Amino acid sequence: MIMAEPASRKAFQKPDESAPPPTPAPVPVPVEEMVLVRQARQGDLEAYDELVRRYQERIYATVYHMTSNHEDANDLAQEAFIKAFRALNSFKGGSSFYTWVYRIAVNKTINFLKQRRNKSQLSLDDLDFNAEHDPDLVALISDKTPRRDASLAELQEKLNEAMQRLSEPHRMVVTLHDVQGLSHEEIADIMECNIGTVRSRLFYARQQLQGYLSDYLK
Amino acid sequence: MSMNPEQEDFQQLRRLLALKRHEQPPPGYFNGFSSQVILRIRAGERPERDSLGERLLWQVPWLQQFWASLSAKPALAGSFGVLVCGLLITGAIYSERPEPEQASIFSPSSNLARQDRPGLMTQLSSMRESGVELSSTAGLPTIPRENSLFEEIRRTPQWNLPPEMQPVVERISLGQ
């Protein structure tokens, strides 16, 4: 008579030593960017999909901060990637692919904004839950600021309105430097101007914003 | 350590600009972003906002490469522009120049026309006196065929045509 093993014993049974050890899940190794570009240039859309995934958030963010409109940013960001794919043969590798796509998105956005006759309505993305805990914002919304009762939503709206009052090149340098943290050199490369121009535009743009937002700044 | 007042003012502004980093699209927005891009590429869609020139560049790849090389090398672009302008000017000048064949004996400046003119005017005045109605065409009187200029030229002694050409002139004078 064969008695079934108690369940408790089964739990402590040693694994079958003859079975091969389970292979660990493969860690995805980031493929070098130029390899993906080469493959995409040959028509490999999966390779290009990977490139899009790598930079979609930054490209979208740049376009959104320039337009303050989620729908426009969605369209323009997609069109920038489509245009980049069509122009892959002209990418010579002098700069990184990221910089090159950035440049396409920046130019496309500036052209779009210049052609837009009437200022579009703001269509702002929501603030994430970390905004209220951001030390910069906490320091700003303190008893030292003139409008300490201003809510974050109001600040967001006023800030975007002020940004929209800047010219496109000035808005772009503020977006790339003060919002996205790019260096002057990177901005000069993307905007195809010299570093002095970047610095002077940044200074002027900050002065303008400071004037527009004086009610909310010390 | 005291800060530059300007830098300190900008510090407040930069703190406020940090608010923009917290602006995020709806949750899950980026999950389908790349897929949409790939779908549109597969559909062969062109960027909608492209101008006519940009659309032309997409359809003609060699033109796109040519344009890219011009954009990268201003000296080449300048030379190309000078070449195009030169061709246009040359074409305009060449088109204004009259054809050598058109400077024929029938032009008012030709010697033969000048020589014929007194004879022609004499004929016209005699026709007017005899009451022959002369219809005008654009201000110029028409000449009856039997007194046509061709006939006049044919009779002119200076018109030394080779014999084989004489029938041609005669056919012209008869209006054939």
Side-chain angles (χ1 to χ4, degrees), chain A residues 139-148 217-218, chain B residues 12:
Chain A
L140 184 68
I141 308 174
S142 67
D143 55 354
K144 294 183 181 178
T145 56
R147 291 287 302 272
R148 57 181 178 273
L217 299 172
K218 196 165 69 169
Chain B
Q12 291 285 79

Side-chain angles (χ1 to χ4, degrees), chain A residues 49 56 64-65 74 78-79 83 86 108 112 125-128 134 156 160 178-179 206 210, chain B residues 9 13 16 19-24 29-30 33-34 36 40 42 44-45 49-50 54 58:
Chain A
D49 182 85
Q56 59 187 8
Y64 166 76
H65 293 313
N74 176 58
Q78 287 192 18
E79 288 173 13
K83 187 170 184 176
R86 302 277 184 225
K108 181 166 271 294
F112 165 74
D125 285 337
D126 294 332
L127 296 173
D128 63 19
D134 189 316
Q156 180 193 12
N160 278 280
D178 289 339
V179 179
R206 285 170 172 174
Q210 199 163 261
Chain B
D9 289 342
L13 174 65
L16 182 55
L19 182 65
K20 288 197 69 63
R21 292 190 208 121
H22 294 284
E23 291 177 319
Q24 297 295 326
Y29 167 75
F30 289 113
F33 183 89
S34 63
Q36 289 184 20
R40 289 174 68 174
R42 284 205 170 109
E45 184 174 331
R49 293 183 176 83
D50 280 355
E54 287 179 329
W58 291 126

Side-chain angles (χ1 to χ4, degrees), chain A residues 53-194:
Chain A
R53 286 173 182 275
R54 287 187 182 187
Y55 306 122
Q56 59 187 8
E57 296 187 23
R58 278 178 280 184
I59 296 296
Y60 167 85
T62 300
V63 180
Y64 166 76
H65 293 313
M66 283 294 293
T67 60
S68 294
N69 187 298
H70 168 72
E71 287 73 27
D72 288 341
N74 176 58
D75 291 341
L76 287 168
Q78 287 192 18
E79 288 173 13
F81 280 112
I82 294 171
K83 187 170 184 176
F85 180 79
R86 302 277 184 225
L88 270 177
N89 286 333
S90 65
F91 174 60
K92 302 300 179 189
S95 60
S96 70
F97 177 77
Y98 165 64
T99 301
W100 183 71
V101 173
Y102 231 123
R103 200 178 291 147
I104 291 174
V106 162
N107 289 334
K108 181 166 271 294
T109 303
I110 290 179
N111 288 338
F112 165 74
L113 290 171
K114 284 181 178 176
Q115 289 171 6
R116 189 175 62 179
R117 299 196 181 278
N118 300 319
K119 286 195 174 180
S120 68
Q121 297 289 333
L122 297 183
S123 176
L124 303 179
D125 285 337
D126 294 332
L127 296 173
D128 63 19
F129 61 88
N130 291 324
E132 293 184 356
H133 307 289
D134 189 316
D136 285 336
L137 295 174
V138 168
L140 184 68
I141 308 174
S142 67
D143 55 354
K144 294 183 181 178
T145 56
R147 291 287 302 272
R148 57 181 178 273
D149 57 339
S151 65
L152 280 178
E154 182 183 350
L155 276 176
Q156 180 193 12
E157 185 179 347
K158 295 302 177 189
L159 176 58
N160 278 280
E161 286 177 355
M163 288 277 285
Q164 289 301 308
R165 293 174 69 177
L166 296 175
S167 72
E168 286 83 13
H170 291 99
R171 197 184 319 153
M172 184 59 74
V173 292
V174 170
T175 295
L176 294 178
H177 188 272
D178 289 339
V179 179
Q180 295 197 292
L182 271 65
S183 66
H184 293 160
E185 290 77 14
E186 287 174 311
I187 297 171
D189 195 7
I190 289 168
M191 296 187 71
E192 296 179 294
C193 60
N194 59 52

